[in-house]
Amino acid sequence: MILILGGTGEARALASRVPAVSSLAGRVSNPALPAGEVRIGGFGGVDGLAQWLRDNDVHAVVDATHPFARQITSNAFEACSRVGVPLLILRRPGFTPQPGWRWVDSVADAARDLPGERVFLTTGRQDLAEFAECPQWFLARMVEPPEPPMPHRVEVLLSRGPFTVDGELELMRSHEIDVLVTKDSGGSMTSAKLEAARQLGVPVVIVRRPPLPPAETVADVDAAVSWLDTAGA
């Protein structure tokens, strides 16, 4: 059996090409489901995942989670190392750096000494609390409704990509955005906001990706399929 971790576009594309069980975290109420068998929910940390790999005779694991899903990637590396199951990390390339971007190491760093007065925030609902004490006004876009704490002055926009440059230009103009805060998630579904910011001359604060464990890593689905063929999975 092959286990694919994650509900990303890359994970769904891979599931459409190889027989596998896909595992979704279950944080989104109405996720786009991949082809084939799907399980939803956590494994119970490293111990639970290691036991699941043993119980289900898993021959290979592909971690195709979001680039900022640090915990499950760490758990997958530890569990696969413990059980002796090959692990591949499938990560889309990050955004192409542009002049003037301010790179930070964490969302907390982004919230610290944040420039501007009207912020377009696209780091996700789980990070909204980091900005709770910031005095700026925020337009916070996310897929699912957030829970407190959150900034005192915030407008929540529930929306799911892909987004267009024209749409992002209109959104940023109409809300008089003067700084964009985002993550280096990569991919085409959410890159339009960066082009819109460039055209409008809006500064960008961008959070670097967390480091990956020392596992084999590829950048696209074709390479993942080739790795699985080579691994005999």
Side-chain angles (χ1 to χ4, degrees):
M1 176 193 294
I2 299 168
L3 176 65
I4 300 173
L5 300 173
T8 60
E10 293 81 13
R12 293 193 298 274
L14 182 60
S16 72
R17 295 179 57 178
V18 298
V21 174
S22 296
S23 178
L24 311 184
R27 295 194 179 98
V28 177
S29 59
N30 187 29
L33 296 177
E37 185 178 345
V38 178
R39 70 174 302 278
I40 296 178
F43 291 93
V46 175
D47 291 341
L49 178 53
Q51 191 61 51
W52 198 93
L53 297 178
R54 293 189 190 98
D55 292 345
N56 291 274
D57 194 24
V58 174
H59 299 135
V61 175
V62 179
D63 172 12
T65 54
H66 190 275
F68 283 82
R70 178 190 300 218
Q71 191 60 60
I72 185 58
T73 295
S74 174
N75 289 354
F77 179 75
E78 294 297 329
C80 288
S81 298
R82 183 183 301 179
V83 179
V85 171
L87 170 67
L88 178 72
I89 298 176
L90 170 56
R91 284 291 185 276
R92 69 181 82 118
F95 294 126
T96 301
Q98 300 296 320
W101 286 4
R102 175 185 165 196
W103 291 85
V104 295
D105 290 329
S106 68
V107 174
D109 287 341
R112 196 174 298 118
D113 193 26
L114 182 63
E117 295 296 329
R118 296 182 65 84
V119 184
F120 185 19
L121 181 63
T122 65
T123 56
R125 67 187 175 101
Q126 292 182 318
D127 296 311
L128 194 55
E130 296 286 358
F131 299 88
E133 301 304 318
C134 292
Q136 289 90 345
W137 180 90
F138 289 84
L139 175 65
R141 184 169 67 192
M142 57 202 67
V143 176
E144 298 280 320
E147 297 180 356
M150 62 181 70
H152 302 294
R153 298 194 296 155
V154 60
E155 177 181 332
V156 175
L157 175 61
L158 299 181
S159 185
R160 189 195 301 264
F163 304 103
T164 66
V165 174
D166 286 345
E168 300 291 62
L169 284 168
E170 173 59 27
L171 185 69
M172 294 171 75
R173 285 190 181 115
S174 64
H175 289 84
E176 300 179 330
I177 297 299
D178 60 12
V179 62
L180 167 65
V181 180
T182 192
K183 292 177 175 178
D184 185 22
S185 56
S188 60
M189 287 187 65
T190 60
S191 61
K193 64 193 171 207
L194 296 168
E195 175 58 21
R198 186 193 68 78
Q199 291 187 26
L200 295 173
V202 170
V204 175
V205 178
I206 186 163
V207 182
R208 293 185 181 91
R209 294 181 175 191
L212 291 174
E216 188 166 355
T217 304
V218 297
D220 58 54
V221 173
D222 286 343
V225 172
S226 296
W227 181 86
L228 288 168
D229 289 341
T230 301

